[in-house]
Amino acid sequence: MSIDIRNNTELYDVARLFFGDDCPSITLDNFGDEFTVKINEASYRNIYTDERYNIIPRERRVGRLSKIALYDALNVFTGRVMPWGALTGVRPTKLFYECLRANKTIEQAENIMRNVYRVSAERANVLKRIICAQRGKVEFSPEFYNLYVHVPYCTTRCNYCSFVSAPIGKCAEQAKQYVDLLVDEISRSREKLSACGKKVLSVYIGGGTPTALDPKSFEKLLCALDGFDCEYTCEAGRPDTVTPEKIDIMKAHGVTRVCVNPQTLNDKTLALIGRNHGTDDFYRVYDEVKSHGFVINCDLIAGLDGETTNDFINSYEGVKKLAPHNLTVHSLSKKNGSAIRYRDGENADASQMLEYVLNNLGEYEPYYLYRQKRQAGNLENVGLFLQDFQCVNNITTMEETVGVMACGAGAISKFIAGGNIYRFANMRDVNLYISRYDEKIPAKLDYFSKVGL
């Protein structure tokens, strides 16, 4: 029976790597391990009986081979290769770990990524380096949970952003009410974890921009998170929201890591994407945060509209010169919730930008990686670290080896029990989070108990 790939999301995602949303007519037939792909009038037949494909779990064999067969046909039809081969909809490191659990060596797993899933040699090597950097930090630990807290406010909304956030200037009174409820949810969530014998592995306050809150609300929030002796991160991604007073508040309440995110060191681009700070503001805040002894993470985005490869390289080398403990490079992802939209073929420089990063790591090593749909150049987000400064929260959250108790609007908790992952999403809209708080938060905590904790 022929499958029209437009009626199969996973297969259509593979085709979109090559054609964007303007796909030709493509059908796929399979009989056992034999696959025939028809693209317009062209036909491509492949048989996957080679023993290397035995690594694919039986329950996933047809689905994964279908994607590989489609990728192989599109590779011949277009003459193009993709850095991540046939991989869509799965974190590449998960497949790498799947190979290791099947008693493959790390070198064999690297070869499987290349020869089975068609990942490029360079990206397969990056995966190997990431797995080495994660050793000792990703073991499944049912007694631990990460505590995530979401603050859905920023000073302005970046045009690429799809996160739950609103301009703080228009929501000042709502923000105070929100923080009061958030503090209550944190308290009840902490009590639930303690009653279930769970420990907090890491705390992460994200957004939005937590430091967009006024100092009084910001300190009230951090007071609710006192008493932890663990990795504790607070995003302060917008330099225009960070003041000496807020830095002191973070230090006084045990924050150990601070994210200061320039995204680019090009002032023209900063204005274009809707950020109301300049490069000088970033440098000032970076120095102030550094002087207080925090571990620092900086984010950059490859593929911002209007930026050339040289623009990005200047930003990357400029931030690298500061030697932040972590440096995360994101490939622009144009999602439906953002003010910009994906257009196939635009910003061809994005691939060159990521290639430059991977070939010019300097003292950095990659330690986590994830991919999203509609990323520029079909690329990835990669986190880099200086020796011994891996962020445990990033690793365990991405590899899903530790559950997440998540608080705030749009926050998604992940409860791990019996080898399964159960998710519970808070109301995404801030007004609904507030109005339905008394209904939804008890439901979250009740669900936490029902799934086996």
Side-chain angles (χ1 to χ4, degrees), residues 89-138:
V90 63
R91 290 175 182 150
T93 50
K94 284 192 172 249
L95 291 182
F96 206 106
Y97 277 116
E98 181 179 275
C99 296
L100 297 181
R101 287 194 296 271
N103 297 318
K104 301 298 182 182
T105 67
I106 196 165
E107 288 77 19
Q108 288 172 328
E110 180 184 10
N111 287 332
I112 289 167
M113 300 307 296
R114 294 175 58 184
N115 297 322
V116 173
Y117 297 110
R118 314 304 195 241
V119 175
S120 72
E122 183 177 41
R123 291 311 197 277
N125 180 258
V126 168
L127 289 178
K128 181 174 73 171
R129 295 168 74 172
I130 287 172
I131 268 52
C132 290
Q134 291 183 354
R135 281 177 174 164
K137 300 182 183 296
V138 296

Side-chain angles (χ1 to χ4, degrees), residues 17-18 97 291 296 373 420:
L17 300 179
F18 294 85
Y97 277 116
S291 70
I296 301 177
K373 289 184 179 182
N420 297 312

Side-chain angles (χ1 to χ4, degrees), residues 6 46 103 114 145 147 188 266 298 329 335 342 353 389 423 430 434:
R6 289 182 180 273
N46 284 293
N103 297 318
R114 294 175 58 184
Y145 268 74
L147 179 58
R188 293 164 73 172
N266 186 323
C298 292
V329 179
K335 297 183 178 180
Y342 176 89
M353 296 174 186
F389 284 102
R423 292 171 172 81
V430 176
I434 292 172

